[in-house]
Amino acid sequence: MTGGMKLALSILLTLFFSCAALIIVLQKEETGQTVARTLSQNGLKGAVSFSGASFTVSDKMALKNVSLVFREIPAFKNKIKSFVLHSYRKERGILSDLSMTARGVRFKVSDLVRLTAASPSDITDDFKNFDPVEGLISQPLHALLLAGCDDVDATVKASYRYFPDGGNMLLSADVDDACVGRFETEILLSGITNEKDGRFLAAFRHLFLRGEPMKDIEFFLKGATVERWRFSLSERKAVTGYKQFVDRLYLRFPGTESRAEITPEGIRKIATYLSFSNAHRQRNFELARTLAAFVKNPVGISVKSKSGKAVPLNKLNGNFLRRFVDLLLRLDVSVVNESGSGN
Amino acid sequence: MNRLFAAFFLFFSFSAPLAAQPSVGAGGAREMKRIAFSVKDGVEVFAESVNGKWCENILTLKVFAQSEDAFSPSVFERVMDKVGVVLENECSAAEQCLIDGYSGKNLVFQGGAEKSERWKPEKGALKVRIRRIQAAAVNQTGSNHARVWTPSVGKQRIEAHIDPSATEYRLYSKDKACSILYTSANPENRMSKWSIVAGGNSCADNLIYGRADVTVFDENGSFVETLDGYFTEGRFTGRRNLNIVLLNRYGYGRNNQNISYLIDTDPELKISYVGYLKAPYNGRTKRYQFWQGCHPFTVAAVAENEEVFLNETVAQNIARTVQSYADIFCPSATRLRFFATTAAQNIAGMDLPDDAKTGNDEALIYTLNMKRNIGKKWEVDKDDSKRLLRMRETERQADKLRENQLMTADYNDLLKSDYLGRLAYMIGADSIENPDEMFWAAKLTGEPVRVNILARVVQTGFSSAFADWPERFKITETDGVLTGGGWYLLNGFFRVASDDEARRDKVRAVLELSVATKCEVEACGEVSDLAELVRRRFERPDWHPYQSKGETP
């Protein structure tokens, strides 16, 4: 997993759960004043700031104008207009239920790219050598910029449920951004011990304090099994913008074929790539065709695993993309292109 | 007489700068001593002196005359006769002299004279130059007799030394005052007991120079032979006073004993001209004859880089030069063997027998054999310069092959490359950049980025223009670079537009133009002709891929 991917994953997870994590460490607070005091006691005084806290009848807590300071990139400017904690429950001292909504999550992707680059010449080289296919995986932040999505202004809804007795965890997220589009996902994991659950929550804390969040995440995922997974993407500007970038990159002239589209040759290549994970060639072709159809007319796409399929993550091998494909095919996913036919 | 002294005065007026320069091989003050004059011929003769000492083995004379006629052969020979008498009485050590002759302030004569030739003046700047270098060598080496002197010609260095392969022994007189270097096939334990008796030579430097009469005795005191003639650095050269600067003394077995000597150097071409002497072995007498190098006169032009011989004019000049050397060193020579080489030793026919199979063939570039009748011009007898032609042709073919390989490699690379790669090749750039990527690079680094971009220019102004494809951006500093609208490959610095530019020109980026290459057809579609791309790069309009005759791919 590349540095860019780790960073992107960190940011994504942060969007989902960062504010929830704050609440975890602020379990017993009742007022804005005590929230601030608890932040200070947990060493997060400089990491989180907000303009006010309140309590409603239906929700546990609401914070206004929150901004976060990340340990690795302290100069990263971000703002969350409002954060609402809908539910929060513990069983036998272990957090078992949490749901939240963050509205007006705003930051610039370009700030992240600039602040995480080793040197200015690295920035130039990264863009000069950007590969439009591999870059989607290895440099997602660069890809977002090139797609025209610099300003993020998103609403993030997230929920967390943990069942200590069964060792199961259910995570869901709903991110709706004006440029990227709407991304919804829900995943059910099994084999999650209390220790793993603790490391999962510690990962968020380590985004602000000394520690290694990615090691926490790796520990959390090690030995876990994916029981169910669905995700969907509704396009707004990102896919279309990225296709335009690819057309400009390859000097597409009017009336000529776009290299941003997945051609029959491209479909064959994707099907062949999928075949290394699953020999069901007919289904692989259908998956590739559905993906090509989405790229051609990007409206929405959804992926859903088949019930009864469970995939231990430690069974997956290869690079990130290969593991990802392995996981999807072992879960026997169905892919639906919302603008047309699906599998 | 007044005019004569006026000329004399004039000499000092322009010789002052000369005196300020250090003399070759000596750092002392230079003065002039008048040693002779002729009122009848209107001539005065001065000898150059260093630290008050003017009498040397090789003198430098300045001759001032009222008229250039004084340097005509008949008059000047008479003057030099008088000089010879003076030298006989006042400087018996003098063997040679270098002569600069002036009429008024003009140098009208350069040449030299030798005691052995009864001081008969010989004209020729080349001869003077050779003697100067020899004189410099003698002065530099002092009493080491050229063993440690290394003439430097570029990186090429010819070490002057006596090689262990030389079957040469030093034979001393009984009083150890004199010695010679004697070549013999006898073992060292015998030769160490041999001795000489020398007559007619001062032996001032222990080794005998010049004219001498030396008798050699063996270990039993028995007479071996008499060496009556000239010696150069202790080596017997028969009736020829060679007076040369010896370099290497070496041998290839009993029958090939050699000495190389430096004739001249050409610093410009980095060539050393080296001559060769041999001492033939007489199987009947079991003794070596005197050192000889005129029949034939053998000379090598040793160059650091063989390419110097590839120029026809240079090669011809070199040939003429070696003919001059033959005239100077061996006027009676009727055969000349010239070797153009990159090594001064180990060449068949040069210092090895003609039929030697162990020579350094790699070093030999070509040979030239010439012959003449006495007093006639040199004629080519056997021209091996075809070897040079072969070498040239081989080199030309190798160059052509190398170029073809490069072109074919380029062509094959282009076959695999995409449109962007071909555009980059067309302008000799590494890559063609994308404006989106370069915009973000410039924005995030805060610095302009050097780019090559294919763009369609649609609107040109006095010093700025706009591109509308692949995206709209402004182009500045176009004056004299862009000639109008159309497709271009643009090179320059890409930067983020200022707020003013963004508002006024509705652009996000600006290209500060450096170079523009106009496309011949839309979007530089000419790059689809790969062979033509390669031809243009190498300026080879006749080239075809895969060497197929007249067939285009």
Side-chain angles (χ1 to χ4, degrees), chain B residues 133-134 149 151 158 245 247 260-265 272-275:
Chain B
I133 197 169
Q134 291 174 348
W149 181 61
I158 303 169
V245 180
L247 290 178
S260 61
Y261 61 97
L262 182 71
I263 296 175
D264 198 4
T265 59
S272 294
Y273 292 96
V274 177

Side-chain angles (χ1 to χ4, degrees), chain A residues 127-128 145-146 244-252, chain B residues 420 432-443 449-456 467-474 490 494-496 508-511:
Chain A
F127 277 110
K128 272 193 174 183
L145 283 179
L146 294 168
Q244 288 170 349
F245 155 69
V246 173
D247 282 344
R248 284 194 292 269
L249 179 67
Y250 291 120
L251 306 178
R252 183 194 179 195
Chain B
L420 288 165
I432 300 295
E433 277 75 38
N434 168 259
D436 289 299
E437 294 173 340
M438 293 303 96
F439 167 77
W440 283 111
K443 183 167 186 176
V449 183
R450 170 72 78 175
V451 296
N452 294 291
I453 292 177
L454 175 67
R456 182 171 59 197
D468 74 339
W469 190 96
E471 70 171 48
R472 180 177 168 81
F473 60 87
K474 188 177 181 180
L490 305 173
F494 205 62
R495 63 171 172 81
V496 177
R508 65 171 183 169
V510 176
L511 176 68

Side-chain angles (χ1 to χ4, degrees), chain B residues 8-30:
Chain B
F8 180 57
F9 178 79
L10 194 61
F11 159 69
F12 279 107
S13 67
F14 75 80
S15 64
L18 282 176
Q21 297 171 356
S23 60
V24 179
R30 300 169 81 184

